[in-house]
Structures are given as C-alpha cells and as structure tokens.
Amino acid sequence: QIQLVESGGGLVQAGGSLRLSCAASGHTGNYYAMGWLRQAPGKEREFVAAISWSGDNIHYADSVKGRFTISRGNAKNRVYLQMNSLKPEDTAVYYCTTAPYSDYIVSGRLDAWGQGTLVTVSS
C-alpha cells in the first residue's frame, strides 16, 4: 500500500510563490511516476503536472506551463512542485499522486493519492 503525504500549502498573494513537497512510502514499486492534481472549490479534480521515474518525461497542464516546475528528489521517493506567478485561479487543494508512468497520471490512471494540501491565492 502506497502512502503519499503532501506539505507546503498556504496563503499567498497573487504573483507570489509556493513550493509543495510530497513524500511517498510503502509498496511503491521499483519504478514509478509521480505528479500533482488539484481540485478547486466546486470544480472537478484536474491534472497539474507529472514526472517519470527518471525525470526524462515531464508533463504540464496548459494552465500552469511556464509558471510551475515539477521535480524529483535524489532519493526518488519525493516530488516537488515549485509554483511561481501564482494567480487566484490556482486556489485549490493540491494532491500528490503516483502511477507506473507519467502518461497515466495525465490521463487519470492513478495508483494512489494523498490527503491534499490547500493553496489559497489572494488577489
């Protein structure tokens, strides 16, 4: 069973930055992709970013390209989301997720996700 724990959310003004972190533990398998989803109030959960085990394959939602950067730690069981130039529409609960391949995360074929961390961007 995979456990994912997110941290780093909070309140920030528009134009500001936040860095989210996620640690994976449990039976994660030898190689797996990690990524981030988000769910804004009253909206469906949506894909944000994904990164393969090796880091060679990275995907971003169009809405965050050029502003968000996903990366993995050297230990591979951690993933980060650097969020710059934040906008009020980025306000959401952000969830860490994992799947065998990064393409799976993009298409919603997920193995597990965490409890989420709230990001609030004020205007």
Side-chain angles (χ1 to χ4, degrees):
Q1 187 174 358
I2 301 169
Q3 292 85 42
L4 300 167
V5 179
E6 306 94 338
S7 62
L11 174 64
V12 64
Q13 288 188 332
S17 298
L18 279 176
R19 188 187 192 218
L20 305 184
S21 299
C22 173
S25 61
H27 297 287
T28 54
N30 292 325
Y31 303 99
Y32 54 96
M34 296 186 75
W36 295 91
L37 314 171
R38 69 185 181 185
Q39 187 167 18
K43 295 187 177 181
E44 294 188 353
R45 187 176 63 186
E46 64 176 1
F47 165 74
V48 176
I51 185 168
S52 63
W53 168 262
S54 65
D56 290 344
N57 293 315
I58 293 177
H59 309 272
Y60 293 104
D62 288 342
S63 57
V64 307
K65 279 180 181 176
R67 300 188 298 121
F68 291 11
T69 302
I70 189 170
S71 61
R72 296 190 77 141
N74 290 334
K76 297 295 187 182
N77 68 328
R78 289 183 176 270
V79 66
Y80 305 97
L81 187 67
Q82 178 66 42
M83 306 185 295
N84 299 329
S85 303
L86 283 161
K87 305 175 181 180
E89 51 264 44
D90 294 318
T91 295
V93 177
Y94 284 71
Y95 298 90
C96 178
T97 186
T98 184
Y101 306 102
S102 55
D103 289 352
Y104 283 23
I105 295 175
V106 176
S107 61
R109 297 167 62 184
L110 311 173
D111 281 358
W113 51 92
Q115 293 296 312
T117 185
L118 177 62
V119 172
T120 303
V121 184
S122 63
S123 57

